Amino acid sequence: MSDKDYLKDISTIKNLMNKSSRFISLSGLSGILAGIYALIGAALTYYLVTTYSYGTLTLDGWVFRYVFFILFMVAFLSVVTGIYLTTKKAKQNGESIWDGSSKRLLFNFLIPLVAGGLYILIILSQGRYGQTGGLMLIFYGLALVSASKYSIGDIKYLGFTEIILGLIATLYPGYGFWLWVIGFGIMHIIYGTYMHFKYDVK
């Protein structure tokens, strides 16, 4: 066998090991759409708060309930879109959407995300919501970093970016909304575009 054959065999073995330990069918397009959903949700929130709530939110107000619903819909649409496009990509690649690697990915992603979500709900119930945007960014970033070792490694860089933006938002809570827009909106679009052209386009 020639050196080229050996290198080809090594590359094949490496790819097989990578597929068995990592879920690599994440769709870049889903990241782009998630960012668009976040920007639309942020625009609606900004309109409601500035028009009907004079720039402030109270937990018992109707504006807060609408804002909470908008956030829920952004998350829901992002998840549904991600599942649909990822499933479609996995089928095209001949991969299983629900195997050991995807289970590990989901488990490691949900631990910090669920913990963070519960913590945010607790402080909201206590009337402390000034740093909510920063905490969302931090826990989401931690979830991405935690899941990155079971998926495409590039997502950890998005996670680091979200954490940094979250820390800045907690330091300057007055800019929390705009940093949330950058983190969940603009950064998702940039990351999704990068991932789409690097991994999706063939």
Side-chain angles (χ1 to χ4, degrees):
M1 295 180 66
S2 65
D3 291 340
K4 289 185 178 180
D5 292 330
Y6 281 119
L7 291 174
K8 184 178 179 181
D9 290 342
I10 292 172
S11 178
T12 301
I13 293 171
K14 182 180 178 181
N15 289 333
L16 288 173
M17 292 178 65
N18 199 35
K19 287 183 178 181
S20 66
S21 60
R22 292 173 177 262
F23 185 74
I24 57 176
S25 290
L26 296 179
S27 170
L29 184 58
S30 65
I32 297 173
L33 292 174
I36 293 173
Y37 298 151
L39 292 180
I40 294 173
L44 291 173
T45 297
Y46 184 80
Y47 172 78
L48 286 173
V49 174
T50 55
T51 304
Y52 299 104
S53 192
Y54 307 102
T56 60
L57 279 175
T58 55
L59 291 176
D60 57 350
W62 68 269
V63 175
F64 177 83
R65 291 192 290 272
Y66 272 89
V67 168
F68 190 83
F69 175 74
I70 290 170
L71 287 175
F72 172 79
M73 288 305 299
V74 168
F76 176 77
L77 290 173
S78 297
V79 170
V80 171
T81 302
I83 292 174
Y84 171 75
L85 292 177
T86 298
T87 302
K88 183 179 178 180
K89 183 179 176 182
K91 289 181 178 179
Q92 291 174 345
N93 294 338
E95 298 174 356
S96 173
I97 189 65
W98 191 244
D99 56 12
S101 58
S102 60
K103 291 176 183 178
R104 289 189 293 270
L105 167 65
L106 186 62
F107 181 75
N108 282 270
F109 180 74
L110 286 178
I111 289 177
L113 198 67
V114 171
L118 292 174
Y119 177 69
I120 290 171
L121 288 175
I122 290 171
I123 65 170
L124 282 176
S125 68
Q126 297 171 348
R128 298 182 293 136
Y129 45 85
Q131 295 184 338
T132 303
L135 290 172
M136 286 182 180
L137 289 165
I138 291 172
F139 282 108
Y140 178 62
L142 290 172
L144 291 175
V145 174
S146 175
S148 64
K149 55 188 172 183
Y150 299 106
S151 182
I152 298 171
D154 291 336
I155 67 172
K156 66 176 176 288
Y157 300 113
L158 176 62
F160 293 145
T161 303
E162 302 287 357
I163 293 171
I164 292 170
L165 289 173
L167 291 173
I168 296 173
T170 57
L171 186 62
Y172 302 102
Y175 298 96
F177 173 79
W178 299 111
L179 289 165
W180 188 97
V181 171
I182 293 172
F184 286 101
I186 296 173
M187 291 311 303
H188 263 144
I189 294 174
I190 294 173
Y191 160 80
T193 302
Y194 167 77
M195 296 295 290
H196 176 69
F197 285 103
K198 183 176 181 179
Y199 295 103
D200 297 348
V201 177
K202 297 181 180 179

